[in-house]
Every structure is written in C-alpha cells, then in structure tokens.
Amino acid sequence: MRVKFGIAAVAAVALVSGCGDSTAVESESERPVMFEPCDDIPDEAIAELGFDPATADRGVAGVDQWGWGICKWSGETHNIAISYAERSLESLRDTGNNTDIRHVGEPTPEAHTWRRLGEEEFICEVTWPNGTGAGQLTVYKRPGADGERMTENICDAAVGYAIALGDLLPRG
C-alpha cells in the first residue's frame, strides 16, 4: 500500500509541477542531446577498436552532463571517450586548459587536436564542428604500467579512432 501511495504522490507532484508556469526551465536530465555515444555507437564498432563495450560509462562518473552526450570505454593500455557538446569547437578549444593545438583535417576538414595542460602525455582530444555543436574523441592513457605500454602517439591514436568510426560519429 505504501509503495502505491508513493508512486501516486510522485506522479501527482510531477503533474502539478508541470502546470502553470510556462517559463519553467528544463532539468538537466530532461534536456535532449542530439548525439548519445553510448546509445548511438554500436558495441561491435567499439570492440573493433580494441575497447570493451561492457565498460561503457555514460557522462562523467555515470552522471549525465547538461548539454553533452558522453560515453567512455576502457581498453588495455588506454581509454576513449566520445562526446558531443552543444558548444562550438572554438569554445571547447579556447578554454585556457589546452595546449599543442593543431589543425589535423581528420575526421573532418575543420578538425583539431589538443592536449590538456599539465597532462600532455596522458590525454589528447580530436574535436570537429558538427552543426551548432562539436564532436570530440578523447584518448586517456591508463595510469601506471598499463599506460606505459601504449606505444602509439596519443594524438595519432585519437585521430585514427575518429577516422575508423567514420559516419558513426556526428558530423555536419
């Protein structure tokens, strides 16, 4: 009986709170994102890149971020995150936390890579414009001995994964 009452109370509060004020702001969890990597990229494509689809982690530490679609997967020596932001490439690039910014022209002609200040050897992002937002693929070296076994240049790896995923990534 208590469970039924609780469900009814929640439904009533939701119904009442949705009425009246037409200027109500959407909550973070209600805001739609054009691209959700955990949902929109097939597990097979992630496995082909060498990452474990079962390790998919949505958002940041499992929490969705407003205006972003983010998913991370683990690999043996490094991890990747694929995201879509409702922000411009320029706003992502020009944060003051990025260094070694380079135009790479892949996976789109306007794509750039950069490294995070203070973590240049461990994190590299390839980012490209997509409509009013930007797509991004980030490679994170795993800490310790696992990450030390990654022999490929971290930015080359990021660009290579973005190219390999091709049309599965948001572009346009």
Side-chain angles (χ1 to χ4, degrees):
M1 182 74 159
R2 181 179 286 178
V3 172
K4 287 181 183 177
F5 176 77
I7 292 171
V10 169
V13 169
L15 187 61
V16 170
S17 67
C19 297
D21 186 6
S22 63
T23 62
V25 177
E26 294 177 356
S27 76
E28 292 181 14
S29 62
E30 293 172 344
R31 175 133 179 157
V33 174
M34 292 175 49
F35 179 75
E36 291 287 355
C38 284
D39 300 331
D40 297 336
I41 299 177
D43 289 348
E44 299 78 27
I46 296 302
E48 285 179 23
L49 296 178
F51 298 93
D52 182 358
T55 64
D57 183 20
R58 184 183 304 271
V60 175
V63 177
D64 285 335
Q65 303 298 303
W66 184 78
W68 287 83
I70 304 170
C71 195
K72 294 180 279 300
W73 295 270
S74 297
E76 192 173 312
T77 62
H78 54 287
N79 304 328
I80 62 167
I82 298 172
S83 55
Y84 170 80
E86 294 177 353
R87 295 177 50 192
S88 70
L89 173 103
E90 293 78 16
S91 73
L92 294 172
R93 180 189 60 218
D94 300 336
T95 65
N97 294 324
N98 299 318
T99 187
D100 193 24
I101 299 169
R102 298 178 187 204
H103 175 258
V104 291
E106 295 284 351
T108 69
E110 303 88 5
H112 287 76
T113 60
W114 53 75
R115 297 169 188 262
R116 292 197 189 157
L117 204 57
E119 300 177 299
E120 293 89 347
E121 296 305 312
F122 302 101
I123 300 173
C124 186
E125 299 171 321
V126 58
T127 306
W128 59 93
N130 178 51
T132 60
Q136 187 170 56
L137 189 146
T138 307
V139 173
Y140 302 86
K141 267 189 178 180
R142 294 177 64 101
D146 288 345
E148 291 173 11
R149 291 185 294 136
M150 182 180 183
T151 58
E152 185 175 8
N153 174 288
I154 196 166
C155 285
D156 290 347
V159 171
Y161 294 138
I163 292 169
L165 288 169
D167 291 337
L168 295 174
L169 297 175
R171 302 171 196 234

